[in-house]
Amino acid sequence: MILYTPMAHSDIFPVEMDSYSNLESVSYKGRTVYAERMPDGSYQIQQLLSSDPNDFLNAEFSPGRILS
Amino acid sequence: MSNNSEQKEEQQQDNQPNSSALVERIQQLGQSNIPQAPDSNIHVLSIIGQVEGHLQLPPQNKTTKYEHLLPQLIAIEQNPKIEGLIILLNTVGGDVEAGLALSEMIASISKPTVSIVLGGGHSIGVPIAVATKHSFIVPTATMTIHPIRLTGLVIGVPQTFEYLDKMQDRVIQFVVEHSNIKEEKFKDLMFAKGNLTRDIGTNVIGKDAVAYGLIDEVGGVKEAMNKLNEFIGPKVSPESGVVQ
């Protein structure tokens, strides 16, 4: 499909609002992480928000990890 | 060969929990082992994607949320173990007031700060980049300087225009005060015609940004770390002070 229009992409393909609701910012072990709520109620880390570069080396906060 | 593979299987069964954790890690990160390091005295803030302001952007946007960064900046200022801060910028710009808030916070931190513009530091990325004590830009990075724009419904056009004009002045003032660029030059770049296809403004690349005085130096991680360590000064070990 090729679109040739001055309209914004978001005007043509409106964003589904339910994709907002799954992503939550939660506090885990003192760090704020963005986590997606899974259907079974657990959280999967999507993004770590920290200024400490070592937190990004810590496997506990790596994206994709399931929080129990 | 069969002997070999049997041995391998045994080994795999032996460290079953280990290997499944490894597989999980490979699936998550695409790598098998993460090196551990001692506590870092330098903290990193990355300004990525769009600088998000009062409106939450749709989830497919990569955003930097100032409500997350402001408390981190306070924590960095308060924590005595943190001696320096590096700002990594790869942003397309975003909310002016959120960007100015971040810039003022970074500029008013008492600890040494250094920024690196990687990829792009466009629009409101410019004041954030110059807010640090020393700024770097990698040779391939670009910074787009253009007038402030507004999308959406406007109520009261003349008032809004005046408000936008003042907002633009605030951005210009901040950049001029925190970098070596002259106000005239910055305005020239901002209102230049013919450089951007659909807009007025200028796309400033690596070395040019340094030549205009907008950014202090061309360089990457190595240069930035050296500069930050220079600002921090020689390490004073706690033992050296006490003689028993």
Side-chain angles (χ1 to χ4, degrees):
Chain A
M1 178 174 57
I2 296 168
L3 295 174
Y4 185 36
T5 166
M7 284 170 74
H9 185 267
S10 56
D11 290 341
I12 304 163
F13 302 105
V15 183
E16 287 160 39
M17 289 307 282
D18 30 318
S19 47
Y20 275 103
S21 54
N22 283 340
L23 215 58
E24 285 177 31
S25 103
V26 293
S27 183
Y28 176 64
K29 297 202 171 167
R31 276 79 165 178
T32 308
V33 292
Y34 256 105
E36 191 181 345
R37 199 172 40 224
M38 311 298 280
D40 64 351
S42 62
Y43 286 92
Q44 187 181 35
I45 296 183
Q46 296 291 322
Q47 192 190 349
L48 167 66
L49 301 160
S50 169
S51 62
D52 189 347
N54 286 332
D55 285 349
F56 290 87
L57 300 177
N58 190 340
E60 278 194 85
F61 303 114
S62 62
R65 203 188 135 86
I66 312 276
L67 306 182
S68 46
Chain B
M1 283 300 275
S2 66
N3 227 351
N4 216 346
S5 64
E6 269 174 31
Q7 270 184 349
K8 265 188 188 165
E9 260 175 43
E10 271 176 27
Q11 274 183 350
Q12 273 182 353
Q13 275 171 356
D14 279 348
N15 39 25
Q16 196 59 51
N18 231 337
S19 67
S20 71
L22 189 68
V23 167
E24 200 184 312
R25 215 179 297 154
I26 290 170
Q27 283 173 344
Q28 290 159 7
L29 291 172
Q31 66 187 63
S32 59
N33 204 6
I34 305 174
Q36 294 299 322
D39 275 352
S40 173
N41 63 337
I42 291 169
H43 271 215
V44 180
L45 270 188
S46 44
I47 315 279
I48 45 149
Q50 294 221 32
V51 178
E52 195 178 274
H54 304 295
L55 276 181
Q56 194 178 1
L57 290 163
Q60 74 264 32
N61 290 289
K62 257 223 165 116
T63 60
T64 299
K65 296 175 200 300
Y66 71 109
E67 71 264 34
H68 290 145
L69 294 190
L70 298 186
Q72 283 184 359
L73 285 164
I74 294 287
I76 287 164
E77 176 70 26
Q78 273 192 326
N79 190 337
K81 282 184 182 163
I82 303 170
E83 296 176 282
L85 172 68
I86 286 196
I87 314 278
L88 300 177
L89 277 144
N90 193 358
T91 175
V92 291
D95 191 286
V96 174
E97 301 216 319
L100 277 180
L102 282 173
S103 308
E104 290 284 10
M105 286 289 286
I106 293 163
S108 58
I109 272 189
S110 68
K111 291 175 182 177
T113 50
V114 162
S115 65
I116 315 175
V117 182
L118 308 152
H122 305 293
S123 320
I124 202 68
V126 176
I128 299 176
V130 302
T132 52
K133 298 200 170 57
H134 202 86
S135 50
F136 286 91
I137 186 166
V138 293
T140 52
T142 70
M143 303 179 94
T144 311
I145 301 162
H146 65 88
I148 288 170
R149 285 180 303 236
L150 175 76
T151 57
L153 181 70
V154 171
I155 299 168
V157 174
Q159 293 89 335
T160 309
F161 176 76
E162 202 165 299
Y163 177 65
L164 267 179
D165 205 38
K166 281 193 178 143
M167 195 181 264
Q168 191 160 285
D169 280 345
R170 281 193 286 165
V171 173
I172 295 170
Q173 279 310 315
F174 187 91
V175 172
V176 168
E177 275 168 29
H178 290 86
S179 70
N180 298 321
I181 199 166
K182 295 272 174 298
E183 185 170 346
E184 286 304 303
K185 184 73 210 166
F186 190 69
K187 279 185 173 169
D188 282 352
L189 295 172
M190 187 178 250
F191 301 111
K193 285 176 195 158
N195 294 322
L196 305 176
T197 42
R198 283 172 33 169
D199 200 352
I200 53 174
T202 317
N203 200 6
V204 180
I205 301 169
K207 274 186 203 158
D208 297 339
V210 179
Y212 292 136
L214 191 60
I215 297 290
D216 294 321
E217 225 175 299
V218 175
V221 178
K222 174 173 80 238
E223 288 84 359
M225 290 303 281
N226 284 344
K227 194 77 196 175
L228 200 50
N229 284 323
E230 190 186 300
F231 280 143
I232 292 169
K235 272 251 158 65
V236 182
S237 65
E239 291 91 37
S240 66
V242 186
V243 184
Q244 284 190 328

